[in-house]
């Protein structure tokens, strides 16, 4: 068997009564997954909830889909040529380290293993031993170093339908942390959260600079 699949089986309990079951067989890929560099939702398959940046500096946890503040649940996943990843929150441009802390910058601390033919994944850090795999607690919090080995594919990655385009003249400083973030409509009205359509985002950095960009939420 080369790829993951689902089988439906019918059981006859009696001539008049039958039961149908569907079995999902997930086949492990031989090496770590090379993902497309893109924006993703990270979904807990057991609960259907989304990995969420609350914006208060706490570690991200799984929560119901947020239609008001969609950027809190969208993660930009990037890599170089290898299968090691940085995961950045689009809400405030903070980066997730291997222990679940949000930092001003990380250096590709994550790896992803996947079931062949699916976007079902296990996420782990790049350590060679110890507890390296993410697990999910009953309350939706994440133990980012919860298991020593793969125990299935508890997460699904879904590409997010959002475009982030820089406005001409924007200056950035990757070494500075984001202190606060504000959102505005095109006519200058301040928003509590980004809305569907074009939003202006202003990020205030720890070095005193202000970074302004345009976010399109669909």
């Amino acid at each position: 068997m080369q790829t993951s699949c689902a089988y439906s089986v019918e059981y006859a309990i009696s001539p008049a009564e039958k039961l149908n079951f569907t079995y999902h067989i997930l086949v492990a890929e031989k090496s770590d997954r090379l993902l497309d560099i893109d924006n993703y939702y990270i979904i807990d398959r057991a609960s259907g909830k989304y990995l969420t940046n609350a914006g208060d500096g706490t570690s991200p946890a799984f929560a119901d889909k947020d239609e008001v503040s969609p950027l809190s649940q969208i993660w930009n996943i990037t890599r170089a040529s290898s299968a090691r990843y940085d995961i950045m929150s689009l809400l405030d441009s903070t980066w997730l380290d291997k222990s679940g802390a949000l930092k001003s910058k990380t250096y590709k601390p994550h790896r992803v293993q996947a079931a062949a033919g699916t976007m079902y994944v296990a996420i782990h850090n790049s350590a060679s031993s110890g507890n390296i795999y993410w697990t999910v607690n009953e309350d939706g919090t994440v133990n980012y170093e919860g298991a020593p080995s793969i125990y299935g594919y508890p997460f699904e990655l879904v590409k997010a339908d959002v475009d982030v385009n820089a406005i001409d003249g924007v200056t950035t400083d990757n070494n500075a942390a984001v202190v606060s973030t504000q959102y505005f409509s095109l006519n200058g009205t301040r928003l509590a959260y980004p809305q569907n359509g074009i939003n202006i985002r202003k990020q205030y950095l720890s070095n005193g600079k202000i970074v302004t960009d345009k976010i399109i939420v669909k």
Side-chain angles (χ1 to χ4, degrees), residues 96-175:
L96 189 63
D97 77 0
K98 66 180 183 180
S99 66
L102 291 167
K103 301 291 186 64
S104 59
K105 184 60 179 173
T106 55
Y107 184 72
K108 299 176 177 60
H110 307 285
R111 292 184 180 273
V112 173
Q113 290 177 309
T118 75
M119 290 298 285
Y120 299 158
V121 302
I123 303 174
H124 58 104
N125 63 50
S126 58
S128 59
S129 62
N131 291 340
I132 62 174
Y133 284 85
W134 293 16
T135 58
V136 183
N137 302 316
E138 290 185 1
D139 62 358
T141 57
V142 184
N143 188 340
Y144 292 91
E145 297 175 327
S149 59
I150 191 169
Y151 63 101
Y153 303 95
F155 309 108
E156 182 177 11
L157 298 181
V158 177
K159 288 188 177 181
D161 188 13
V162 61
D163 297 320
V164 180
N165 301 306
I167 293 176
D168 292 340
V170 168
T171 59
T172 61
D173 186 344
N174 291 331
N175 293 321

Side-chain angles (χ1 to χ4, degrees), residues 94 110 180:
T94 52
H110 307 285
S180 64

Side-chain angles (χ1 to χ4, degrees), residues 5-79:
C5 58
Y7 291 95
S8 294
V9 180
E10 183 179 87
Y11 293 91
I13 298 177
S14 68
E17 185 177 4
K18 297 180 180 180
L19 294 176
N20 289 286
F21 293 93
T22 299
Y23 296 92
H24 294 272
I25 299 177
L26 302 180
V27 178
E29 294 181 337
K30 294 181 179 180
S31 59
D32 289 345
R33 173 68 65 90
L34 280 174
L35 295 170
D36 293 336
I37 297 172
D38 213 326
N39 298 316
Y40 293 87
Y41 296 108
I42 302 175
I43 301 172
D44 174 25
R45 292 178 57 215
S47 66
K49 295 185 176 183
Y50 291 67
L51 189 65
T52 303
N53 176 10
D56 57 4
T58 59
S59 294
F62 285 94
D64 292 330
K65 188 174 175 66
D66 192 338
E67 301 291 352
V68 177
S69 180
L71 295 186
S72 67
Q73 297 178 329
I74 299 176
W75 302 88
N76 181 255
I77 299 181
T78 60
R79 62 174 172 82

